[in-house]
PDB file of all heavy atoms in Angstrom:
ATOM      1  N   ASP W   1      29.483 -48.211   4.807  1.00  0.00           N
ATOM      2  CA  ASP W   1      28.713 -47.900   3.675  1.00  0.00           C
ATOM      3  C   ASP W   1      27.297 -48.347   3.874  1.00  0.00           C
ATOM      4  O   ASP W   1      27.070 -49.526   4.001  1.00  0.00           O
ATOM      5  CB  ASP W   1      29.254 -48.597   2.356  1.00  0.00           C
ATOM      6  CG  ASP W   1      30.729 -48.042   2.109  1.00  0.00           C
ATOM      7  OD1 ASP W   1      30.968 -46.911   2.281  1.00  0.00           O
ATOM      8  OD2 ASP W   1      31.487 -48.810   1.588  1.00  0.00           O
ATOM      9  N   THR W   2      26.360 -47.383   3.754  1.00  0.00           N
ATOM     10  CA  THR W   2      24.911 -47.702   3.963  1.00  0.00           C
ATOM     11  C   THR W   2      24.137 -47.375   2.706  1.00  0.00           C
ATOM     12  O   THR W   2      24.562 -46.506   1.931  1.00  0.00           O
ATOM     13  CB  THR W   2      24.302 -46.896   5.151  1.00  0.00           C
ATOM     14  OG1 THR W   2      24.448 -45.534   4.948  1.00  0.00           O
ATOM     15  CG2 THR W   2      25.022 -47.255   6.389  1.00  0.00           C
ATOM     16  N   GLN W   3      22.982 -48.090   2.623  1.00  0.00           N
ATOM     17  CA  GLN W   3      22.047 -47.679   1.572  1.00  0.00           C
ATOM     18  C   GLN W   3      20.643 -47.620   2.197  1.00  0.00           C
ATOM     19  O   GLN W   3      20.209 -48.469   2.947  1.00  0.00           O
ATOM     20  CB  GLN W   3      22.085 -48.871   0.521  1.00  0.00           C
ATOM     21  CG  GLN W   3      20.974 -48.559  -0.613  1.00  0.00           C
ATOM     22  CD  GLN W   3      21.128 -49.588  -1.679  1.00  0.00           C
ATOM     23  OE1 GLN W   3      22.253 -50.051  -1.989  1.00  0.00           O
ATOM     24  NE2 GLN W   3      19.987 -49.931  -2.280  1.00  0.00           N
ATOM     25  N   THR W   4      19.984 -46.374   2.054  1.00  0.00           N
ATOM     26  CA  THR W   4      18.664 -46.281   2.725  1.00  0.00           C
ATOM     27  C   THR W   4      17.671 -46.181   1.438  1.00  0.00           C
ATOM     28  O   THR W   4      17.919 -45.385   0.510  1.00  0.00           O
ATOM     29  CB  THR W   4      18.598 -44.994   3.489  1.00  0.00           C
ATOM     30  OG1 THR W   4      19.577 -45.104   4.493  1.00  0.00           O
ATOM     31  CG2 THR W   4      17.231 -44.732   4.073  1.00  0.00           C
ATOM     32  N   GLU W   5      16.704 -47.007   1.490  1.00  0.00           N
ATOM     33  CA  GLU W   5      15.730 -47.149   0.391  1.00  0.00           C
ATOM     34  C   GLU W   5      14.399 -46.671   0.906  1.00  0.00           C
ATOM     35  O   GLU W   5      13.923 -47.003   2.006  1.00  0.00           O
ATOM     36  CB  GLU W   5      15.591 -48.522  -0.152  1.00  0.00           C
ATOM     37  CG  GLU W   5      16.944 -49.103  -0.701  1.00  0.00           C
ATOM     38  CD  GLU W   5      16.851 -50.494  -0.995  1.00  0.00           C
ATOM     39  OE1 GLU W   5      16.041 -51.244  -0.389  1.00  0.00           O
ATOM     40  OE2 GLU W   5      17.697 -50.951  -1.895  1.00  0.00           O
ATOM     41  N   ILE W   6      13.657 -45.917   0.113  1.00  0.00           N
ATOM     42  CA  ILE W   6      12.319 -45.399   0.419  1.00  0.00           C
ATOM     43  C   ILE W   6      11.318 -46.035  -0.542  1.00  0.00           C
ATOM     44  O   ILE W   6      11.473 -45.942  -1.740  1.00  0.00           O
ATOM     45  CB  ILE W   6      12.261 -43.889   0.321  1.00  0.00           C
ATOM     46  CG1 ILE W   6      13.349 -43.182   1.014  1.00  0.00           C
ATOM     47  CG2 ILE W   6      10.819 -43.382   0.747  1.00  0.00           C
ATOM     48  CD1 ILE W   6      13.411 -43.333   2.457  1.00  0.00           C
ATOM     49  N   TYR W   7      10.376 -46.799   0.035  1.00  0.00           N
ATOM     50  CA  TYR W   7       9.345 -47.400  -0.753  1.00  0.00           C
ATOM     51  C   TYR W   7       8.020 -46.745  -0.575  1.00  0.00           C
ATOM     52  O   TYR W   7       7.536 -46.442   0.546  1.00  0.00           O
ATOM     53  CB  TYR W   7       9.199 -48.860  -0.498  1.00  0.00           C
ATOM     54  CG  TYR W   7      10.429 -49.685  -0.732  1.00  0.00           C
ATOM     55  CD1 TYR W   7      11.522 -49.864   0.132  1.00  0.00           C
ATOM     56  CD2 TYR W   7      10.469 -50.351  -1.965  1.00  0.00           C
ATOM     57  CE1 TYR W   7      12.590 -50.572  -0.167  1.00  0.00           C
ATOM     58  CE2 TYR W   7      11.571 -51.092  -2.379  1.00  0.00           C
ATOM     59  CZ  TYR W   7      12.689 -51.276  -1.475  1.00  0.00           C
ATOM     60  OH  TYR W   7      13.816 -52.013  -1.767  1.00  0.00           O
ATOM     61  N   ASP W   8       7.302 -46.510  -1.711  1.00  0.00           N
ATOM     62  CA  ASP W   8       5.913 -46.000  -1.638  1.00  0.00           C
ATOM     63  C   ASP W   8       5.023 -47.214  -1.638  1.00  0.00           C
ATOM     64  O   ASP W   8       4.976 -47.939  -2.696  1.00  0.00           O
ATOM     65  CB  ASP W   8       5.683 -45.067  -2.826  1.00  0.00           C
ATOM     66  CG  ASP W   8       4.170 -44.595  -2.840  1.00  0.00           C
ATOM     67  OD1 ASP W   8       3.554 -44.382  -1.792  1.00  0.00           O
ATOM     68  OD2 ASP W   8       3.673 -44.461  -4.011  1.00  0.00           O
ATOM     69  N   MET W   9       4.312 -47.472  -0.572  1.00  0.00           N
ATOM     70  CA  MET W   9       3.467 -48.606  -0.558  1.00  0.00           C
ATOM     71  C   MET W   9       2.157 -48.514  -1.396  1.00  0.00           C
ATOM     72  O   MET W   9       1.637 -49.547  -1.780  1.00  0.00           O
ATOM     73  CB  MET W   9       3.075 -48.920   0.946  1.00  0.00           C
ATOM     74  CG  MET W   9       4.294 -49.212   1.843  1.00  0.00           C
ATOM     75  SD  MET W   9       5.349 -50.538   1.262  1.00  0.00           S
ATOM     76  CE  MET W   9       4.249 -51.943   1.443  1.00  0.00           C
ATOM     77  N   ASN W  10       1.732 -47.306  -1.682  1.00  0.00           N
ATOM     78  CA  ASN W  10       0.498 -47.141  -2.537  1.00  0.00           C
ATOM     79  C   ASN W  10       0.877 -47.623  -3.969  1.00  0.00           C
ATOM     80  O   ASN W  10      -0.033 -48.226  -4.567  1.00  0.00           O
ATOM     81  CB  ASN W  10       0.095 -45.663  -2.542  1.00  0.00           C
ATOM     82  CG  ASN W  10      -0.396 -45.231  -1.144  1.00  0.00           C
ATOM     83  OD1 ASN W  10      -0.962 -45.989  -0.410  1.00  0.00           O
ATOM     84  ND2 ASN W  10      -0.129 -44.007  -0.845  1.00  0.00           N
ATOM     85  N   SER W  11       2.008 -47.266  -4.497  1.00  0.00           N
ATOM     86  CA  SER W  11       2.434 -47.692  -5.939  1.00  0.00           C
ATOM     87  C   SER W  11       3.230 -48.950  -5.805  1.00  0.00           C
ATOM     88  O   SER W  11       3.686 -49.555  -6.827  1.00  0.00           O
ATOM     89  CB  SER W  11       3.137 -46.676  -6.608  1.00  0.00           C
ATOM     90  OG  SER W  11       4.416 -46.320  -5.967  1.00  0.00           O
ATOM     91  N   ASN W  12       3.616 -49.341  -4.605  1.00  0.00           N
ATOM     92  CA  ASN W  12       4.394 -50.660  -4.455  1.00  0.00           C
ATOM     93  C   ASN W  12       5.697 -50.544  -5.248  1.00  0.00           C
ATOM     94  O   ASN W  12       6.074 -51.508  -5.854  1.00  0.00           O
ATOM     95  CB  ASN W  12       3.600 -51.868  -4.720  1.00  0.00           C
ATOM     96  CG  ASN W  12       4.230 -53.105  -4.130  1.00  0.00           C
ATOM     97  OD1 ASN W  12       4.917 -52.982  -3.127  1.00  0.00           O
ATOM     98  ND2 ASN W  12       3.993 -54.236  -4.741  1.00  0.00           N
ATOM     99  N   ARG W  13       6.366 -49.450  -5.107  1.00  0.00           N
ATOM    100  CA  ARG W  13       7.676 -49.340  -5.824  1.00  0.00           C
ATOM    101  C   ARG W  13       8.695 -48.478  -4.946  1.00  0.00           C
ATOM    102  O   ARG W  13       8.381 -47.691  -4.146  1.00  0.00           O
ATOM    103  CB  ARG W  13       7.468 -48.749  -7.204  1.00  0.00           C
ATOM    104  CG  ARG W  13       7.098 -47.375  -7.193  1.00  0.00           C
ATOM    105  CD  ARG W  13       6.926 -46.892  -8.719  1.00  0.00           C
ATOM    106  NE  ARG W  13       6.638 -45.419  -8.617  1.00  0.00           N
ATOM    107  CZ  ARG W  13       6.874 -44.722  -9.720  1.00  0.00           C
ATOM    108  NH1 ARG W  13       7.328 -45.172 -10.736  1.00  0.00           N
ATOM    109  NH2 ARG W  13       6.594 -43.392  -9.637  1.00  0.00           N
ATOM    110  N   LEU W  14       9.920 -48.745  -5.384  1.00  0.00           N
ATOM    111  CA  LEU W  14      11.098 -48.054  -4.759  1.00  0.00           C
ATOM    112  C   LEU W  14      11.120 -46.609  -5.331  1.00  0.00           C
ATOM    113  O   LEU W  14      11.087 -46.481  -6.583  1.00  0.00           O
ATOM    114  CB  LEU W  14      12.382 -48.763  -5.104  1.00  0.00           C
ATOM    115  CG  LEU W  14      13.726 -48.207  -4.656  1.00  0.00           C
ATOM    116  CD1 LEU W  14      13.644 -48.077  -3.090  1.00  0.00           C
ATOM    117  CD2 LEU W  14      14.887 -48.949  -5.114  1.00  0.00           C
ATOM    118  N   VAL W  15      11.134 -45.672  -4.477  1.00  0.00           N
ATOM    119  CA  VAL W  15      11.009 -44.207  -4.920  1.00  0.00           C
ATOM    120  C   VAL W  15      12.418 -43.571  -4.950  1.00  0.00           C
ATOM    121  O   VAL W  15      12.775 -42.890  -5.794  1.00  0.00           O
ATOM    122  CB  VAL W  15      10.144 -43.507  -3.955  1.00  0.00           C
ATOM    123  CG1 VAL W  15      10.142 -41.988  -4.273  1.00  0.00           C
ATOM    124  CG2 VAL W  15       8.709 -44.042  -4.044  1.00  0.00           C
ATOM    125  N   LEU W  16      13.232 -43.821  -3.877  1.00  0.00           N
ATOM    126  CA  LEU W  16      14.451 -43.053  -3.736  1.00  0.00           C
ATOM    127  C   LEU W  16      15.550 -43.977  -2.926  1.00  0.00           C
ATOM    128  O   LEU W  16      15.218 -44.719  -2.119  1.00  0.00           O
ATOM    129  CB  LEU W  16      14.140 -41.862  -2.882  1.00  0.00           C
ATOM    130  CG  LEU W  16      15.268 -40.828  -2.616  1.00  0.00           C
ATOM    131  CD1 LEU W  16      15.635 -40.068  -3.774  1.00  0.00           C
ATOM    132  CD2 LEU W  16      14.757 -39.862  -1.475  1.00  0.00           C
ATOM    133  N   THR W  17      16.769 -43.852  -3.376  1.00  0.00           N
ATOM    134  CA  THR W  17      17.823 -44.521  -2.638  1.00  0.00           C
ATOM    135  C   THR W  17      18.834 -43.431  -2.241  1.00  0.00           C
ATOM    136  O   THR W  17      19.253 -42.647  -3.047  1.00  0.00           O
ATOM    137  CB  THR W  17      18.515 -45.538  -3.511  1.00  0.00           C
ATOM    138  OG1 THR W  17      17.565 -46.515  -3.941  1.00  0.00           O
ATOM    139  CG2 THR W  17      19.650 -46.278  -2.753  1.00  0.00           C
ATOM    140  N   VAL W  18      19.230 -43.556  -0.914  1.00  0.00           N
ATOM    141  CA  VAL W  18      20.380 -42.607  -0.488  1.00  0.00           C
ATOM    142  C   VAL W  18      21.434 -43.458  -0.041  1.00  0.00           C
ATOM    143  O   VAL W  18      21.378 -44.374   0.822  1.00  0.00           O
ATOM    144  CB  VAL W  18      19.788 -41.749   0.730  1.00  0.00           C
ATOM    145  CG1 VAL W  18      20.884 -40.898   1.356  1.00  0.00           C
ATOM    146  CG2 VAL W  18      18.585 -40.942   0.384  1.00  0.00           C
ATOM    147  N   LEU W  19      22.679 -43.252  -0.576  1.00  0.00           N
ATOM    148  CA  LEU W  19      23.821 -43.900  -0.350  1.00  0.00           C
ATOM    149  C   LEU W  19      24.718 -43.030   0.601  1.00  0.00           C
ATOM    150  O   LEU W  19      24.761 -41.810   0.460  1.00  0.00           O
ATOM    151  CB  LEU W  19      24.663 -44.254  -1.535  1.00  0.00           C
ATOM    152  CG  LEU W  19      23.887 -44.978  -2.619  1.00  0.00           C
ATOM    153  CD1 LEU W  19      24.666 -45.084  -3.943  1.00  0.00           C
ATOM    154  CD2 LEU W  19      23.519 -46.355  -2.181  1.00  0.00           C
ATOM    155  N   ALA W  20      25.374 -43.646   1.567  1.00  0.00           N
ATOM    156  CA  ALA W  20      26.204 -42.841   2.484  1.00  0.00           C
ATOM    157  C   ALA W  20      27.421 -43.628   2.869  1.00  0.00           C
ATOM    158  O   ALA W  20      27.400 -44.909   2.962  1.00  0.00           O
ATOM    159  CB  ALA W  20      25.307 -42.482   3.690  1.00  0.00           C
ATOM    160  N   THR W  21      28.502 -42.891   3.056  1.00  0.00           N
ATOM    161  CA  THR W  21      29.701 -43.494   3.571  1.00  0.00           C
ATOM    162  C   THR W  21      30.024 -42.789   4.874  1.00  0.00           C
ATOM    163  O   THR W  21      30.138 -41.566   4.905  1.00  0.00           O
ATOM    164  CB  THR W  21      30.904 -43.405   2.679  1.00  0.00           C
ATOM    165  OG1 THR W  21      30.524 -44.057   1.413  1.00  0.00           O
ATOM    166  CG2 THR W  21      32.158 -43.953   3.205  1.00  0.00           C
ATOM    167  N   THR W  22      30.165 -43.453   5.983  1.00  0.00           N
ATOM    168  CA  THR W  22      30.392 -42.816   7.279  1.00  0.00           C
ATOM    169  C   THR W  22      31.658 -43.456   7.833  1.00  0.00           C
ATOM    170  O   THR W  22      32.042 -44.604   7.860  1.00  0.00           O
ATOM    171  CB  THR W  22      29.242 -43.153   8.240  1.00  0.00           C
ATOM    172  OG1 THR W  22      27.984 -42.716   7.661  1.00  0.00           O
ATOM    173  CG2 THR W  22      29.552 -42.559   9.585  1.00  0.00           C
ATOM    174  N   ARG W  23      32.498 -42.601   8.358  1.00  0.00           N
ATOM    175  CA  ARG W  23      33.767 -42.945   8.995  1.00  0.00           C
ATOM    176  C   ARG W  23      33.683 -42.554  10.529  1.00  0.00           C
ATOM    177  O   ARG W  23      33.463 -41.367  10.850  1.00  0.00           O
ATOM    178  CB  ARG W  23      34.974 -42.273   8.406  1.00  0.00           C
ATOM    179  CG  ARG W  23      36.312 -42.559   8.819  1.00  0.00           C
ATOM    180  CD  ARG W  23      37.362 -41.798   8.160  1.00  0.00           C
ATOM    181  NE  ARG W  23      38.655 -41.957   8.697  1.00  0.00           N
ATOM    182  CZ  ARG W  23      39.549 -42.817   8.228  1.00  0.00           C
ATOM    183  NH1 ARG W  23      39.284 -43.564   7.200  1.00  0.00           N
ATOM    184  NH2 ARG W  23      40.737 -42.916   8.832  1.00  0.00           N
ATOM    185  N   ILE W  24      33.774 -43.464  11.473  1.00  0.00           N
ATOM    186  CA  ILE W  24      33.694 -43.233  12.885  1.00  0.00           C
ATOM    187  C   ILE W  24      34.997 -43.618  13.482  1.00  0.00           C
ATOM    188  O   ILE W  24      35.646 -44.584  12.998  1.00  0.00           O
ATOM    189  CB  ILE W  24      32.488 -43.834  13.469  1.00  0.00           C
ATOM    190  CG1 ILE W  24      32.450 -45.326  13.297  1.00  0.00           C
ATOM    191  CG2 ILE W  24      31.189 -43.203  12.915  1.00  0.00           C
ATOM    192  CD1 ILE W  24      31.371 -45.964  13.982  1.00  0.00           C
ATOM    193  N   GLN W  25      35.290 -43.116  14.658  1.00  0.00           N
ATOM    194  CA  GLN W  25      36.544 -43.476  15.352  1.00  0.00           C
ATOM    195  C   GLN W  25      36.319 -44.481  16.381  1.00  0.00           C
ATOM    196  O   GLN W  25      37.094 -44.389  17.419  1.00  0.00           O
ATOM    197  CB  GLN W  25      37.201 -42.190  15.869  1.00  0.00           C
ATOM    198  CG  GLN W  25      38.525 -42.484  16.439  1.00  0.00           C
ATOM    199  CD  GLN W  25      39.087 -41.233  17.142  1.00  0.00           C
ATOM    200  OE1 GLN W  25      38.885 -40.072  16.736  1.00  0.00           O
ATOM    201  NE2 GLN W  25      39.869 -41.404  18.146  1.00  0.00           N
ATOM    202  N   THR W  26      35.542 -45.403  16.270  1.00  0.00           N
ATOM    203  CA  THR W  26      35.321 -46.570  17.183  1.00  0.00           C
ATOM    204  C   THR W  26      35.093 -47.736  16.389  1.00  0.00           C
ATOM    205  O   THR W  26      34.682 -47.797  15.261  1.00  0.00           O
ATOM    206  CB  THR W  26      34.146 -46.287  18.150  1.00  0.00           C
ATOM    207  OG1 THR W  26      32.935 -46.204  17.399  1.00  0.00           O
ATOM    208  CG2 THR W  26      34.383 -44.949  18.910  1.00  0.00           C
TER     209      THR W  26
END
């Protein structure tokens, strides 16, 4: 389970969060 966060440095704030669940065979 991952969380990717995108921050805008000009406004110094979190803009977007992308959550993902990945299943791999290793």
Side-chain angles (χ1 to χ4, degrees):
D1 294 322
T2 60
Q3 179 173 326
T4 302
E5 300 169 337
I6 311 295
Y7 292 88
D8 176 36
M9 298 307 290
N10 296 326
S11 64
N12 199 26
R13 68 180 185 159
L14 179 61
V15 175
L16 181 70
T17 300
V18 177
L19 306 172
T21 300
T22 303
R23 180 178 173 101
I24 58 175
Q25 189 185 324
T26 63

